[in-house]
Amino acid sequence: MTDGTNPPSNPQPEPAPGNGGYGFPPVPPAPAAGYGYPPGTPAPGGGGSFGPPPGAPADGGGYGYPQADAQPGAQPGPYQQAPAPAAAPQQWAQGLPNMGGPAAPGAAGPGLPGPFAPQSDQPDWEAMADRSAAEKRKKRLWLIGAAVTVLALLAGGGTFLLLGGDDKGENAAKDDTPSPTAPPTPSPTGSKSKTPVDNTPTVKDDPTQIRDRSGKTPLKMGPDAGVFPIEKRFEIRTKGNENSYAESAKRVVDTSKSFTVSAHVWNRAPKGRQIAVSQGNEKSFSFELGLDQVNGKPTWVFRVQTGDQGAEATAVTVTGESPKMEKTFSTLTGTYDAERKQIALYVNGKKTGEAPVPGVFQAQGPLQLARSRHEDKWTAPWSGAMETVQTYDVVLSPAQIDTLKPGRVDAAAKPTGSWLLY
């Protein structure tokens, strides 16, 4: 077999007449000759130096193509089909692959080229070399890409660590309702981070007092009132009786000046007078915000007392309605403009009424939730729930009131008191 390179280019010697071998064209074999390379002295028995093995018939052909005039019974060469397997001796070239050469005329089987004849299906060594080079280039590119990826990941990890790790602390600082015990996380840029908001609804170590989120005026609850969690928020629930309320220890709103009071309220049934937020003294209220019957119809009210005796004749009321007034939350906001001497009521951020007043009774009593003072008695108990109760010592504008949402305060004005925010 050939090793893939072209055979030697030096010309072959012409065989002597009568020698059988690989001559071109083939000639009848000589009685006792082979094809030696280089030519040698014929071996005993008629073979050349590369002729048939010793003991082979002298009249046999060499190792070339089978000859058309081979004698009957002649021993086939190693590349020739034998008539019967039993008659073919073992040859040194058995098992070589069939190279697919053409058969000589008159041959008994498929012809095969000699070991130095041109091959018909030689591999394309140049194409194979190109493919090998392409595979190497692909492997190099893959290794370079992998190295770049690893370096990028290492560089990204270093940047990640330099910037302060994960962003859970930053997200917690931006959240409006983080855990009260979560420590503040330093900002990666070096600026001060937002301090987590404490949403605890009651005073520490005293669950009967609602914590003031804007000042130092907690509200003490009666025995039949309580604070309950609703998802991320809290609300006070009252049963509509004389023991279901909450009150401050001192005055919160100065009614001699402008003020705003607001609450997010829910009632079980709009029947009779029910006041959510009020302030007054032992005789009468100064203002009250809640629900009442006007002309036999339930309506939201903001009412102020102008006389010091608390008579009905000296009270001024503004009213408003909403599509549904029971078993649904509504935001009620009342304002008093001391300069203009005017009160107004807003329901869910929209103004529903206003009225002029000569002034507001300056009672020094505490702030009340779920009840009001009238003719020396507690009246108008609230049956339901409320949250986000706020007071301001200024008149909020209509635009500011429209942006008030449950759990939020106006950014341009600080409340004098706020309870049950979230």
Side-chain angles (χ1 to χ4, degrees), residues 334-379:
T335 64
Y336 169 58
D337 190 336
E339 293 182 0
R340 298 175 58 202
K341 302 294 184 181
Q342 193 171 47
I343 61 172
L345 173 65
Y346 296 79
V347 178
N348 295 325
K350 306 301 179 184
K351 183 186 287 189
T352 60
E354 61 182 6
V357 293
V360 178
F361 173 44
Q362 298 178 27
Q364 301 299 313
L367 187 76
Q368 304 285 335
L369 298 187
R371 66 181 182 178
S372 182
R373 193 73 174 174
H374 183 65
E375 295 181 353
D376 302 332
K377 296 179 182 178
W378 292 115
T379 61

Side-chain angles (χ1 to χ4, degrees), residues 185-211:
T185 302
S187 172
T189 60
S191 61
K192 294 182 179 180
S193 61
K194 187 177 179 180
T195 303
V197 178
D198 183 3
N199 288 322
T200 307
T202 56
V203 174
K204 184 179 180 180
D205 300 328
D206 189 355
T208 66
Q209 294 194 69
I210 304 174
R211 186 169 67 94

Side-chain angles (χ1 to χ4, degrees), residues 15-16 18-21 30-63 92:
N19 286 348
Y35 187 80
Y37 184 75
T41 304
S49 60
F50 286 94
D59 57 352
Y63 279 84
W92 67 270

Side-chain angles (χ1 to χ4, degrees), residues 236-257:
I236 179 175
R237 298 178 186 174
T238 54
K239 298 180 179 180
N241 60 42
E242 60 182 7
N243 292 320
S244 190
Y245 63 91
E247 67 176 354
S248 64
K250 60 182 181 180
R251 185 186 71 175
V252 175
V253 178
D254 184 353
T255 57
S256 66
K257 301 177 181 179

